[in-house]
Amino acid sequence: MDYLCAQSTGISMILCSNPLAQYLSQKTEIDEAIRRVLDSGRYVLGPEVQAFEEEFARYLGVSSGIGVGSGTEAIHLALAACGLQAGDEVITVSHTAVATVAAIELAGGRPVFVDIDPVSYGLDSSQLEKAITGKTRVIMPVHLYGQPADLDAIMNIARRYRLRVIEDCAQAHGALYQGRRVGSWGDLACFSFYPTKNLGALGDGGMVVTDAPDLAARARLLRQYGWAERNMSSLPGWNTRLDEMQAALLRVKLRNLDDQNAKRRRLAQFYTGALQGTDLVLPRALEGTTHVYHLYVVRSRQRDKLMNFLRDRGIGGLIHYPVPVHRQPAYQGRIGGAARLDETERAAGEVLSLPMYPELTEPEAQQVVAAVLAFDGEKI
Ligand SMILES: *Cc1c(COP(=O)(O)O)cnc(C)c1O
């Protein structure tokens, strides 16, 4: 939605993300994959989906993938596969895409928020134990902006309290934590293939992955009416399926994912080198992690002025996210838990995402840097 807004202004902007550029860079292969599906007569949950599930699971180092309709549905399905009951508590963060929280409620869970660590933007593991109650069933860290959350500490606490961990990996396809892909740490993990994500479809899509055969089997049943065989529901499921066209083109894009993430990292390195010495707080990749820069997020006390300044110069910065979930009308006063969320509130007022996608050209990156430096020079 973000990028569509930017395009509809009609002026040529350097967009924050650019799925069209991504499609064009692999157009021949993607068109060929789509044509293959069109001619096959199989359009939903067929051989392309199965192949993509296997390839993506292997890429992550887990045994199973279950393709679904979106990232939101992946979270819904993962929670259902864990047997979440109405009123069970799921600990997560408020500084995230609303989808994380919406999906918890869709599954009947009660979201409980923990503050974020201001460097990783992930769940602050030092605040985690305080949030655990007798009703807690699941911890859901979000690897925000492409940076892995503090998995070691989170996994240790989860084991101690016998809680499930479900990773929200919607912004972190390919990111590594201590040499292992995120998505292979928790009991289950959830991915989105929304067009702007690091691995993006040309439509909606998502996947649940897991290394546990029993959880995989339950998720697979629940995805399609609980059917073990056609027209015989063995569990009360619903429908959230991945289609063949998205799976076929995602297979093409998966082959290029590591290259594309490397390009994002090079662009991040360029920004960080060029913006050193300004008033901005720049993103830092934590030791032992490989950040995949879904977004390049800087912080400024003058964030709104900076954003307008950039926009006037044809640069589309965006805010991820301007209002924490617990402050939004749908949730305010109704959910949250007891914790103070000071870092969450502070981040919402200061973060700004600069243009970040693998196809961004060097002159464009220089234009972004020049505009930010001009703003910093004026010290408005
Ligand atoms: C995009 C996103 C989702 C949801 O994915 P959809 O495919 O849009 O439903 C969930 N969590 C996070 C952190 C996201 O960025």
Side-chain angles (χ1 to χ4, degrees), residues 206-229:
M207 197 177 292
V208 174
V209 302
T210 179
D211 214 25
D214 55 328
L215 293 173
R218 279 178 65 83
R220 213 172 280 288
L221 286 179
L222 292 168
R223 161 177 75 176
Q224 184 167 232
Y225 318 123
W227 284 356
E229 57 181 290

Side-chain angles (χ1 to χ4, degrees), residues 234-251:
S234 51
L235 287 173
W238 67 102
N239 152 27
T240 174
R241 293 175 295 224
L242 184 61
D243 71 69
E244 288 283 283
M245 269 187 249
Q246 303 306 335
L249 72 91
L250 284 164
R251 293 179 69 195

Side-chain angles (χ1 to χ4, degrees), residues 27-351:
K27 182 177 179 351
T28 309
E29 280 178 287
I30 289 174
D31 287 359
E32 198 279 319
I34 290 175
R35 178 142 305 280
R36 186 172 73 229
V37 173
L38 288 173
D39 291 339
S40 76
R42 289 289 298 276
Y43 303 119
V44 170
L45 291 190
E48 296 286 348
V49 169
Q50 194 182 340
F52 177 54
E53 287 173 343
E54 287 166 11
E55 287 160 9
F56 194 52
R58 194 177 321 130
Y59 172 83
L60 296 171
V62 296
S63 56
S64 301
I66 299 97
V68 297
S70 70
T72 308
E73 275 300 324
I75 297 170
H76 179 193
L77 184 64
L79 288 165
C82 286
L84 198 80
Q85 302 289 311
D88 285 350
E89 292 178 357
V90 179
I91 298 176
T92 190
V93 288
S94 182
H95 185 66
T96 182
V98 75
T100 310
V101 179
I104 291 169
E105 291 210 320
L106 203 52
R110 221 181 90 72
V112 171
F113 295 133
V114 166
D115 207 1
I116 54 164
D117 170 83
V119 176
S120 73
Y121 293 100
L123 189 153
D124 179 353
S125 57
S126 73
Q127 312 281 325
L128 178 53
E129 280 194 79
K130 284 190 291 208
I132 296 173
T133 73
K135 292 197 137 188
T136 308
R137 295 287 171 273
V138 176
I139 303 169
M140 187 175 293
V142 181
H143 308 303
L144 205 69
Y145 306 152
Q147 168 92 283
D150 187 8
L151 280 166
D152 228 2
I154 293 168
M155 295 305 299
N156 274 330
I157 293 169
R159 275 197 207 97
R160 202 140 27 87
Y161 288 86
R162 297 175 188 279
L163 301 172
R164 297 274 196 199
V165 173
I166 300 177
E167 298 171 74
D168 181 343
C169 301
Q171 300 192 2
H173 314 69
L176 294 158
Y177 183 84
Q178 296 177 359
R180 256 172 67 193
R181 303 267 181 214
V182 304
S184 68
W185 288 80
D187 297 284
L188 299 128
C190 304
F191 289 84
S192 163
F193 306 121
Y194 184 73
T196 59
K197 309 288 186 182
N198 288 39
L199 181 57
L202 299 174
D204 274 310
M207 197 177 292
V208 174
V209 302
T210 179
D211 214 25
D214 55 328
L215 293 173
R218 279 178 65 83
R220 213 172 280 288
L221 286 179
L222 292 168
R223 161 177 75 176
Q224 184 167 232
Y225 318 123
W227 284 356
E229 57 181 290
R230 206 176 162 70
N231 295 321
M232 192 55 66
S233 294
S234 51
L235 287 173
W238 67 102
N239 152 27
T240 174
R241 293 175 295 224
L242 184 61
D243 71 69
E244 288 283 283
M245 269 187 249
Q246 303 306 335
L249 72 91
L250 284 164
R251 293 179 69 195
V252 172
K253 287 195 174 190
L254 177 59
R255 292 199 284 275
N256 298 314
L257 177 60
D258 285 340
D259 273 356
Q260 304 252 321
N261 282 341
K263 284 186 183 156
R264 288 174 184 271
R265 270 197 299 281
R266 277 203 293 280
L267 177 55
Q269 239 169 27
F270 172 73
Y271 280 154
T272 296
L275 300 177
Q276 216 63 252
T278 64
D279 279 350
L280 298 180
V281 177
L282 304 176
R284 270 202 287 145
L286 297 178
E287 184 126 13
T289 70
T290 304
H291 195 320
V292 291
Y293 291 98
H294 172 59
L295 296 166
Y296 186 91
V297 177
V298 300
R299 291 175 74 141
S300 167
R301 292 254 162 80
Q302 320 226 47
R303 188 267 315 276
D304 292 346
K305 278 186 192 162
L306 172 59
M307 186 166 72
N308 291 333
F309 186 92
L310 295 180
R311 186 150 296 164
D312 290 345
R313 283 153 187 78
I315 294 159
L318 291 171
I319 302 172
H320 301 91
Y321 295 88
V323 182
V325 176
H326 72 281
R327 294 278 186 209
Q328 297 184 23
Y331 302 99
Q332 188 157 33
R334 194 165 63 73
I335 57 167
R340 292 181 60 90
L341 303 174
D342 296 342
E343 293 297 344
T344 296
E345 314 251 353
R346 200 167 299 140
E350 296 183 357
V351 293

